[in-house]
Amino acid sequence: MAAVEMPVEKWTGKVHEVRLGGEGRKSIVVGGETTLPFLHFEGSIPNRIAVAVEVQDQEPSDWATSLVSAWGDVLRDPGAWAKKAAEFGADIIVLRLRSAHPEERNTGAAEAKAAVDKVLSAVDLPVIVLGPEVAEKDNEVLVAASEVARGSRVALGNCMEKNYRTIAATAIADGHVVIAKTPIEINLAKQLNILISDIGVPVDAILMDPTTGALGYGLEYSYSMMERLHLAALQGDAMTAMPMVCTVGEEAWRQKEARVAEGVPASWGDHEQRSLLWEEFTAISLINSGADIVVLRHPKAVEVVKATIDRLMSQV
Amino acid sequence: MIVIGECIHIIAKRVREAVDNRDKGFIQGLAKLQVERGAHVLDLNLGPMKKAGPEVMSWVVDAVQEAVDVPLSLDTTNPAAIEAGLKLCQKKAIINSTDATEERLSALMPLAAKYNANIIALSLGKVGLPTTADARIELVAEKILPVAMEQGVPMDNIYLDPLVLTVNGNQDQAPETVNAVRFFKQMTDPPLMTICGLSNVSNSCPAEVRPILNRVYLIIMLGAGLDSAIVDPLDYELMEAVRIIDSRDDSTPKGELYLALYDAYGLSEEFDTSAVDMTDPELREIAKTIDVLQNKTLYAHGYLRL
């Protein structure tokens, strides 16, 4: 059989490497790719794609039964939940401070500190802390989280166009990483990275969340935009070269196909299996378009996605 | 390059007020100022003007012709207003504009023939703007030129407009529109005239980057063969770029760079910015803008910052 010669592109750029954790805590580095996803023959992918597991600071009232039964009692306690997530194989714990949302319990800095502290004491994994995505509340609870987590190099999210300053300044002061989140739009993604860099956050302390569309709900937009960002990074654009984080679980489980068991066509098949597939397919697709961290919800999805990453990372 | 001044534009608040109040002095002042700054033609953009179109156009044309002695470009979607203006124009006017749809062509080409006016034809079809230069050529060849010939409009009077889109969101179209201009010039012998509304390239971009995007894109387009553009003649740096290109003034580093860019496009090449002296802030900004307009680096509002 004749040998097939693989076409090899010479890229000049690479994705920035960003480290989370350390100082007595496990650390993880994401990014650093010098090629498109998993083209091991072309360039290097020095760091494994990370699987983060989402933990919330209050028991979720709107989660699908299959999610609730997979986790059980730990849902009432973020520390126990994080510990269980670590047992299920999480590389990173994402703590969503959902109770701070004005439409939830509108909790403030003190509750945020307590929740972050619980998670940090329960596990030695690197941590990402997300606010409720309401600009004012994000500023309040993330500043509190930042203080408590000083020394643990967590990622604080999200910095958005309207409120990136406070969070970025806090992250600089306490030595954390920020997550820059923009609605699915490539020019805005780059612009926010520029703005955040401009006020002094080093490029190795920025992750970006270009907004995840779930399978059937804009996945193809996320996919192509992330691919374009990744290509621009490889072409040497430092302001698009931030490692990408995708909130897959949140988006996949928001959709009817994952949530609803009744009143849907029989041809949709088994609900439990369908909802898992929804999360897994969304995650695996985005990993193939350049995601560096996928945030998941279901333990089974963690297992499947991790096994897939193992195969994709092995250079055969 | 033929400079068509865009300042008499109904979207500008003061122009709208002057037109509404029939304030001749303001309109005439704006006309004179543009001509002083180098406009060869003045565009009179009155918007849709559905109701009082003919009357308003007549008033504006008369007012402007009293003040300056240059040809006028009649810019409205109302054909009756265009005809009213054409009747009064003392110099060969420009009809701005038809697209490639039957409706607009059949309304405007006969006017171009009857009044021996120039006419701007946008390569924009029924289903919108084609995304490739080739498809724009097709529209010109299959829709626009046949009607022009049928109506007896001399080919010299046709100004093809590829329709410039903003780099913010349509970045891949920036080089494609340059290609369209190049192809327009190669379509026929002798070549047809070409034109564009330049400032579209920076629509929705912040004020601090609009002028540099406009003038660098103009140089690229001129290199590709653009004959005329609707621009702001009060933009000093833009007119300076036009002067540098027209007089081939390479006495400054900026002039050298502008001419190198222009010449690269004249040879149908892209411009390699790697040799530009990035220690000079002015040249660095031009080089970054070139890379954005060539779709080499991704546009962001802050692209000049880092």
Side-chain angles (χ1 to χ4, degrees):
Chain A
M1 212 169 73
V4 176
E5 202 179 316
M6 297 299 279
V8 172
E9 198 80 43
K10 281 254 175 270
W11 301 111
T12 53
K14 79 178 233 194
V15 176
H16 305 304
E17 289 192 303
V18 174
R19 183 182 58 78
L20 293 175
E23 291 190 38
R25 176 169 295 283
K26 277 185 190 155
S27 79
I28 191 169
V29 177
V30 293
E33 302 94 323
T34 62
T35 179
L36 288 168
F38 313 113
L39 302 188
H40 300 287
F41 60 87
E42 183 176 275
S44 93
I45 302 157
N47 302 300
R48 207 171 174 285
I49 310 308
V51 172
V53 174
E54 179 181 344
V55 165
Q56 301 197 350
D57 68 339
Q58 65 176 17
E59 186 177 3
S61 56
D62 54 352
W63 276 24
T65 46
S66 62
L67 270 179
V68 172
S69 61
W71 288 102
D73 288 344
V74 299
L75 294 180
R76 288 189 204 109
D77 175 66
W81 189 350
K83 213 167 192 163
K84 190 99 177 261
E87 284 164 21
F88 282 131
D91 301 313
I92 300 169
I93 301 296
V94 169
L95 172 62
R96 167 73 79 179
L97 299 172
R98 193 169 170 195
S99 72
H101 197 288
E103 286 167 19
E104 297 284 337
R105 292 190 289 127
N106 201 24
T107 56
E111 291 89 339
K113 279 186 183 175
V116 172
D117 194 46
K118 263 189 187 169
V119 169
L120 288 173
S121 337
V123 293
D124 65 352
L125 292 177
V127 171
I128 292 174
V129 184
L130 300 178
E133 293 201 17
V134 175
E136 245 172 67
K137 292 301 289 189
D138 279 356
N139 285 351
E140 181 185 350
V141 296
L142 291 172
V143 168
S146 175
E147 255 178 68
V148 158
R150 195 177 293 141
S152 296
R153 196 169 171 85
V154 302
L156 300 171
N158 291 306
C159 280
M160 302 206 263
E161 206 182 358
K162 292 207 162 64
N163 75 330
Y164 66 91
R165 287 172 188 278
T166 306
I167 298 162
T170 306
I172 295 171
D174 294 331
H176 297 308
V177 169
V178 298
I179 301 176
K181 181 166 185 173
T182 42
I184 307 184
E185 215 270 67
I186 188 163
N187 305 110
L188 290 179
K190 177 172 176 178
Q191 174 68 2
L192 185 56
N193 291 335
I194 293 174
L195 294 173
I196 291 172
S197 302
D198 229 23
I199 59 173
V201 181
V203 292
D204 65 358
I206 305 173
L207 298 169
M208 61 177 165
D209 175 353
T211 297
T212 299
L215 177 60
Y217 297 85
L219 176 62
E220 62 278 29
Y221 291 107
S222 289
Y223 188 101
S224 67
M225 194 188 72
M226 287 167 59
E227 188 171 65
R228 284 172 65 201
L229 284 165
H230 197 105
L231 281 167
L234 296 179
Q235 282 158 9
D237 189 336
M239 287 300 117
T240 61
M242 288 65 187
M244 291 184 275
V245 50
C246 295
T247 53
V248 169
E250 186 179 336
E251 294 304 325
W253 286 93
R254 210 199 284 283
Q255 311 312 334
K256 185 180 179 190
E257 288 82 349
R259 258 187 315 111
V260 180
E262 285 161 19
V264 298
S267 59
W268 283 21
D270 177 62
H271 174 236
E272 178 103 24
Q273 193 188 3
R274 181 175 69 242
S275 54
L276 267 172
L277 284 172
W278 225 260
E279 184 170 26
E280 291 158 8
F281 267 82
T282 302
I284 293 165
S285 302
L286 294 179
I287 284 168
N288 278 293
S289 76
D292 296 279
I293 301 172
V294 285
V295 186
L296 302 181
R297 280 189 175 170
H298 200 290
K300 183 72 188 163
V302 173
E303 186 191 325
V304 169
V305 172
K306 283 194 81 165
T308 307
I309 292 170
D310 283 341
R311 288 203 299 279
L312 290 168
M313 288 300 294
S314 68
Q315 304 192 29
V316 281
Chain B
M1 170 200 162
I2 303 168
V3 176
I4 301 173
E6 68 184 7
C7 301
I8 299 178
H9 194 304
I10 203 76
I11 288 185
K13 191 166 163 261
R14 296 204 54 195
V15 172
R16 147 94 48 201
E17 284 168 6
V19 169
D20 286 349
N21 303 328
R22 302 291 189 267
D23 174 0
K24 228 185 211 182
F26 180 79
I27 298 290
Q28 291 180 331
L30 200 48
K32 278 188 203 154
L33 187 58
Q34 291 186 83
V35 172
E36 275 164 24
R37 298 287 179 85
H40 305 115
V41 177
L42 294 183
D43 189 62
L44 309 179
N45 184 327
L46 301 183
M49 278 288 149
K50 284 199 184 118
K51 281 186 191 154
E55 190 221 324
V56 174
M57 182 61 89
S58 303
W59 178 81
V60 177
V61 167
D62 277 339
V64 172
Q65 286 191 141
E66 271 175 31
V68 294
D69 189 27
V70 297
L72 303 178
S73 156
L74 309 176
D75 190 351
T76 167
T77 47
N78 179 345
I82 296 222
E83 181 156 20
L86 288 171
K87 282 182 183 159
L88 295 171
C89 280
Q90 288 153 10
K91 300 204 161 209
K92 189 171 176 179
I94 302 178
I95 296 172
N96 186 7
S97 58
T98 180
D99 54 25
T101 63
E102 221 163 274
E103 186 202 342
R104 301 283 301 160
L105 286 167
S106 63
L108 294 166
M109 280 296 178
L111 294 180
K114 183 173 170 190
Y115 294 93
N116 186 35
N118 294 308
I119 181 164
I120 298 174
L122 294 160
S123 55
L124 178 70
K126 225 183 258 167
V127 293
L129 184 73
T131 52
T132 65
D134 282 332
R136 288 177 185 164
I137 293 286
E138 257 179 55
L139 271 182
V140 171
E142 289 172 12
K143 305 284 182 195
I144 295 170
L145 297 187
V147 179
M149 280 186 244
E150 192 186 293
Q151 295 291 333
V153 177
M155 288 297 113
D156 295 353
N157 289 0
I158 309 275
Y159 280 65
L160 296 177
D161 184 336
L163 197 63
V164 170
L165 296 177
T166 173
V167 74
N168 180 27
N170 293 294
Q171 196 176 348
D172 54 337
Q173 282 296 307
E176 202 54 30
T177 308
V178 174
N179 286 336
V181 167
R182 197 191 304 291
F183 293 175
F184 286 167
K185 294 306 288 184
Q186 293 165 349
M187 263 182 99
T188 56
D189 189 17
L192 295 166
M193 293 296 273
T194 52
I195 190 165
C196 75
L198 181 68
S199 54
N200 281 356
V201 76
S202 61
N203 265 346
S204 79
C205 302
E208 70 261 26
V209 294
R210 290 202 68 170
I212 193 167
L213 283 166
N214 292 347
R215 64 181 176 265
V216 172
Y217 199 54
L218 179 62
I219 294 165
I220 291 175
M221 290 283 261
L222 289 172
L226 188 76
D227 301 289
S228 57
I230 302 171
V231 299
D232 176 8
L234 309 186
D235 177 343
Y236 173 79
E237 282 292 334
L238 181 99
M239 295 305 286
E240 175 64 4
V242 172
R243 185 196 66 75
I244 285 171
I245 299 298
D246 282 349
S247 64
R248 293 202 65 87
D249 177 3
D250 61 0
S251 62
T252 60
K254 178 173 77 180
E256 253 181 89
L257 179 53
Y258 280 175
L259 284 164
L261 176 64
Y262 174 82
D263 290 343
Y265 275 83
L267 295 168
S268 301
E269 287 167 2
E270 284 191 325
F271 185 75
D272 179 2
T273 55
S274 61
V276 175
D277 175 10
M278 291 296 197
T279 59
D280 178 327
E282 188 178 31
L283 301 186
R284 185 171 66 232
E285 292 203 338
I286 296 168
K288 283 183 168 181
T289 305
I290 294 170
D291 281 338
V292 162
L293 290 168
Q294 293 188 138
N295 200 18
K296 297 287 179 202
T297 55
L298 187 64
Y299 173 81
H301 291 335
Y303 76 92
L304 287 179
R305 286 207 203 175
L306 289 166

